[in-house]
C-alpha cells in the first residue's frame, strides 16, 4: 500500500486540498466555512445537485440495461470479427467529450440525421444526455463484466440445470452472484463518470441542464467565484465518498473464490433462434448507438476532401492556434499514454494486490481513495497541479512527466476495479500451498497469481491506455503549448471560428479514433499462456 498511498497523497490529495483551501480562505487568511450553508441554500445550486444525482442514476441504469447483453455476447459467443468489434466498442470511451457531444448534436439536433429523416429533434433534452452517456460507458460494462464472465466455468450453471433449475433460475442463482462484484464495479465507474459529466451536458443540455462539474467550471472560469467552486468541490467529495463507502461495505461481503477457466473454452458459436436474435440485437445496438456518431465524425472530416488532413501539417493553417503543426499531437498523445499506462499498472497493480490480502476499515478507506479521482472535478485537479507543482522539490512545470501523472490518476481506478474481482477470485489455498513449499511472496505472485490474472492485466492496460489517450479535463491546463495532446488540440480547434478549424478538429478526432482502435485491436490479439483453473 505504501507506493499507491504516496502517489495519491502527492499528486491527488495535496493539489485538490490546496485549490479547495484557497477557495475557502478570505484575503486575511480566515476560513469562510459560512459559505457552505450560504451556497447550498441557493435554489439554483439545489437544482444542480438534484439534476446531477438523478441523471447519473438514470444513466447508470440505462447503461447496464443496454450493455449487459453485450457483455454476455462478447463473453460467451464466438463469431467472426469479434476482436475487431470489441476494439471498436471501446473507441467511444476515449473520445473527448466535446467531440462526442458535437457528433450527437449532428445526429439529434437541428439539421441532424433524425431531423432530416423524420423531423425529430432530441438535443437540449434529457434523452440526448442519457444516450450520450450510454455511448461513452458501454465499453466499461462490456469489458469489466464481460472480462470476468468469459472466465466463469459454464459447467457450474450446467450442473444446476441438470439438477432441475430452469435456464433463468440457474443464471440467477449461480452466474449472477458470481458476476455481482464485477457488475457493481462497472456500475460504480459509470455512475462516477456520469455524476461528473461536463462536455456532454454543456453541448447537449444547453443552459437548462447543469451538473456539478459544469457548474464548478462556470463558477471558476466564467464567474471567477472560487469560493462557490470550492464548496461545490467539497460537496462532490462528500457525495462520491459516501457512494464509495457503501460500495466497499456491501460488495466486499459478496466476493468469493470462483472457478475460473480459459476464456477460449467458454466462447461458442450462437445456437438456436434465441441466441442468434440476441447477437443480432447487440450488433444493431452497436451500429446505431456507437458506430453512427463515429460515422458522422468521419464524414465531416472528409467534408473538404483531404484538405483538412493536409492542413494538420501546417502550424499556420489554424490561424495561430498552435506553435507546432497539429499533427505532432499524435506522437505526443501516444508517448504520454504509454507512460501513463505504465504508471497506472504499477500503482494499480500494487493497490489491487494489497486489497486482496488485507481487510479492515483502513483497507476499505484505501479502496475508496483509489476511486476518488473519478468523482472529483477535473477542473479542480488541473488547477491544483498548477498551483502546487511549481516549486522545489516538486517543480514539474517544465517536465514532460506532468501530463502522464495527471492521466494516470484516472487510469489507476480502472486497473484496480478490473483486476480486483479476478484477484479475489483466486483460491487463497493456492497461495498458501506455494508459501508452505518455500516460495517467497514475490514468487507466489509471479507463479500463482500472475498466470491467472494475466488476461485481466491486459484488459486493465487497455483501459488505462484508452483513458489516457482521451483525457482532457486536467490535461488542458498542464499540457505545454508546444506539446499538445490530441484531445487538447481538438478542443482548441473547436474553439476557433472557421470551417477549416472545425474540419481539422474532425480530422484529428478521426485520427484519435483510428489510433485507439488499432491499439486496442493489437491488445486483443496478444496471446498469453492458457491460465489454469482455479
Amino acid at each position: 500500500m505504501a507506493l499507491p498511498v504516496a502517489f495519491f497523497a502527492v499528486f491527488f490529495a495535496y493539489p485538490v486540498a490546496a485549490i479547495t483551501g484557497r477557495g475557502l480562505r478570505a484575503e486575511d487568511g480566515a476560513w469562510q466555512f459560512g459559505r457552505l450553508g450560504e451556497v447550498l441554500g441557493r435554489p439554483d445550486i439545489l437544482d444542480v445537485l438534484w439534476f446531477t444525482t438523478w441523471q447519473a442514476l438514470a444513466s447508470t441504469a440505462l447503461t447496464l440495461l443496454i450493455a449487459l447483453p453485450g457483455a454476455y455476447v462478447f463473453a460467451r459467443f464466438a463469431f467472426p470479427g469479434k476482436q475487431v468489434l470489441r476494439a471498436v466498442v471501446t473507441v467511444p470511451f476515449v473520445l473527448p467529450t466535446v467531440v462526442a457531444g458535437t457528433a450527437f448534436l449532428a445526429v439529434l439536433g437541428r439539421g441532424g440525421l433524425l431531423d432530416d429523416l423524420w423531423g425529430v429533434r432530441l438535443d437540449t433534452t434529457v434523452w440526448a444526455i442519457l444516450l450520450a452517456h450510454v455511448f461513452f460507458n458501454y465499453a466499461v460494462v462490456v469489458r469489466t463484466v464481460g472480462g470476468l464472465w468469459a472466465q466463469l466455468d459454464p459447467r457450474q450453471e450446467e450442473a444446476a440445470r441438470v439438477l432441475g433449475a430452469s435456464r433463468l433460475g440457474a443464471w440467477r442463482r449461480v452466474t449472477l452472484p458470481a458476476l455481482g462484484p464485477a457488475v457493481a464495479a462497472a456500475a460504480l465507474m459509470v455512475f462516477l463518470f456520469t455524476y461528473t459529466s461536463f462536455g456532454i451536458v454543456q453541448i447537449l443540455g444547453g443552459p437548462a441542464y447543469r451538473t456539478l462539474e459544469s457548474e464548478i467550471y462556470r463558477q471558476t472560469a466564467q464567474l471567477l467565484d472560487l469560493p462557490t467552486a470550492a464548496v461545490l468541490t467539497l460537496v462532490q467529495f462528500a457525495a462520491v465518498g459516501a457512494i464509495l463507502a457503501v460500495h466497499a461495505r456491501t460488495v466486499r461481503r459478496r466476493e468469493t473464490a470462483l472457478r475460473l477457466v480459459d476464456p477460449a473454452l467458454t466462447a461458442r458459436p450462437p445456437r438456436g433462434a434465441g441466441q442468434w436474435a440476441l447477437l443480432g440485437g447487440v450488433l444493431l445496438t452497436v451500429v446505431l448507438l456507437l458506430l453512427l456518431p463515429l460515422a458522422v465524425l468521419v464524414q465531416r472530416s472528409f467534408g473538404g476532401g483531404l484538405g483538412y488532413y493536409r492542413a494538420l501539417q501546417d502550424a499556420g493553417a489554424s490561424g495561430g492556434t498552435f506553435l507546432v503543426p497539429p499533427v505532432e499531437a499524435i506522437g505526443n498523445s501516444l508517448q504520454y499514454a504509454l507512460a501513463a499506462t505504465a504508471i497506472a499498472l504499477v500503482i494499480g497493480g500494487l493497490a489491487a494486490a494489497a486489497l486482496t490480502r488485507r481487510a479492515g476499515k483502513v483497507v476499505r478507506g484505501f479502496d475508496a481513495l483509489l476511486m476518488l479521482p473519478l468523482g472529483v472535478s477535473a477542473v479542480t485537479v488541473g488547477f491544483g497541479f498548477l498551483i502546487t507543482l511549481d516549486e522545489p522539490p516538486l517543480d514539474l512545470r517544465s517536465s514532460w512527466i506532468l501530463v502522464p501523472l495527471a492521466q494516470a490518476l484516472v487510469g489507476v481506478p480502472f486497473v484496480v476495479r478490473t483486476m480486483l474481482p479476478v484477484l479475489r477470485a483466486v483460491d487463497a489455498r493456492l497461495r498458501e500451498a506455494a508459501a508452505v513449499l518455500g516460495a517467497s511472496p514475490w514468487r507466489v505472485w509471479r507463479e500463482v497469481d500472475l498466470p491467472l490474472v494475466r488476461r485481466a492485466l491486459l484488459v486493465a492496460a487497455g483501459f488505462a491506455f484508452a483513458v489516457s489517450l482521451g483525457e482532457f479535463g486536467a490535461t488542458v491546463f498542464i499540457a505545454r503549448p508546444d506539446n499538445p495532446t490530441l484531445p487538447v488540440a481538438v478542443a482548441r480547434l473547436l474553439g476557433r471560428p472557421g470551417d477549416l478549424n472545425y474540419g481539422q478538429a474532425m480530422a484529428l478526432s478521426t485520427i484519435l479514433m483510428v489510433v485507439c482502435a488499432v491499439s486496442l485491436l493489437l491488445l486483443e490479439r496478444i496471446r498469453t499462456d492458457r491460465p489454469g483453473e482455479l
Side-chain angles (χ1 to χ4, degrees), residues 433-463:
V436 169
L437 294 174
S440 64
W442 167 246
R443 187 175 180 183
V444 170
W445 161 255
R446 189 178 71 250
E447 298 188 9
V448 176
D449 291 83
L450 184 58
L452 297 170
V453 302
R454 190 171 296 171
R455 176 179 172 83
L457 187 65
L458 290 175
V459 173
F463 263 132

Side-chain angles (χ1 to χ4, degrees), residues 133-181:
H133 283 162
V134 177
F135 169 83
F136 264 110
N137 296 294
Y138 187 91
V140 175
V141 179
V142 167
R143 296 186 74 94
T144 303
V145 179
L148 179 60
W149 207 335
Q151 293 182 271
L152 291 182
D153 191 343
R155 291 175 294 182
Q156 300 179 63
E157 189 173 321
E158 293 169 359
R161 295 200 64 192
V162 170
L163 295 174
S166 64
R167 182 182 295 273
L168 179 61
W171 181 84
R172 181 172 57 85
R173 296 183 180 182
V174 178
T175 304
L176 184 58
L179 288 176

Side-chain angles (χ1 to χ4, degrees), residues 130-485:
L130 298 183
L131 290 175
H133 283 162
V134 177
F135 169 83
F136 264 110
N137 296 294
Y138 187 91
V140 175
V141 179
V142 167
R143 296 186 74 94
T144 303
V145 179
L148 179 60
W149 207 335
Q151 293 182 271
L152 291 182
D153 191 343
R155 291 175 294 182
Q156 300 179 63
E157 189 173 321
E158 293 169 359
R161 295 200 64 192
V162 170
L163 295 174
S166 64
R167 182 182 295 273
L168 179 61
W171 181 84
R172 181 172 57 85
R173 296 183 180 182
V174 178
T175 304
L176 184 58
L179 288 176
V183 174
L188 176 66
M189 288 188 284
V190 173
F191 182 86
L192 291 180
F193 270 109
T194 54
Y195 191 81
T196 58
S197 182
F198 173 56
I200 290 296
V201 177
Q202 284 285 98
I203 295 175
L204 297 177
Y209 300 105
R210 297 199 305 271
T211 59
L212 273 173
E213 183 82 2
S214 62
E215 186 64 17
I216 291 173
Y217 175 80
R218 191 173 78 96
Q219 296 290 339
T220 302
Q222 298 178 6
L223 303 181
L224 302 179
D225 189 351
L226 197 57
T228 298
V231 170
L232 296 180
T233 298
L234 292 178
V235 171
Q236 206 171 50
F237 259 128
V240 171
I243 295 165
L244 294 175
V246 172
H247 174 270
R249 190 176 186 84
T250 57
V251 174
R252 182 65 182 91
R253 296 176 180 176
R254 300 171 59 187
E255 290 174 331
T256 57
L258 303 174
R259 184 179 180 84
L260 304 184
V261 298
D262 185 355
L265 302 178
T266 65
R268 301 173 181 174
R271 294 176 296 180
Q275 291 190 355
W276 279 106
L278 177 60
L279 176 59
V282 169
L283 293 178
L284 182 62
T285 299
V286 170
V287 169
L288 295 180
L289 185 63
L290 305 184
L291 296 185
L292 183 60
L294 301 182
V296 172
L297 289 181
V298 175
Q299 183 272 330
R300 292 192 173 187
S301 72
F302 288 100
L306 294 177
Y308 296 147
Y309 289 90
R310 296 192 185 98
L312 295 177
Q313 304 176 32
D314 183 5
S318 56
T321 305
F322 299 98
L323 300 178
V324 295
V327 71
E328 292 190 10
I330 301 173
N332 296 335
S333 286
L334 291 175
Q335 294 175 24
Y336 289 146
L338 289 173
T341 300
I343 296 172
L345 287 178
V346 172
I347 301 299
L350 290 174
L355 291 170
T356 305
R357 289 165 171 76
R358 297 289 184 271
K361 294 182 178 179
V362 173
V363 173
R364 286 198 296 268
F366 173 61
D367 191 6
L369 169 68
L370 297 173
M371 297 299 294
L372 280 178
L374 298 183
V376 175
S377 168
V379 176
T380 302
V381 175
F383 272 123
F385 265 53
L386 289 179
I387 69 171
T388 57
L389 303 180
D390 60 345
E391 296 179 359
L394 289 175
D395 187 359
L396 301 178
R397 289 172 299 178
S398 59
S399 175
W400 66 272
I401 198 65
L402 193 62
V403 173
L405 287 172
Q407 295 174 345
L409 282 174
V410 185
V412 168
F414 285 92
V415 175
V416 174
R417 294 268 73 87
T418 303
M419 295 186 62
L420 197 55
V422 179
L423 278 174
R424 282 176 171 166
V426 177
D427 194 335
R429 291 174 295 182
L430 294 175
R431 301 188 185 104
E432 295 167 359
V436 169
L437 294 174
S440 64
W442 167 246
R443 187 175 180 183
V444 170
W445 161 255
R446 189 178 71 250
E447 298 188 9
V448 176
D449 291 83
L450 184 58
L452 297 170
V453 302
R454 190 171 296 171
R455 176 179 172 83
L457 187 65
L458 290 175
V459 173
F463 263 132
F465 184 78
V467 169
S468 300
L469 272 180
E471 205 286 322
F472 171 72
T475 306
V476 69
F477 295 104
I478 56 180
R480 295 169 54 182
D482 56 342
N483 286 291
T485 64

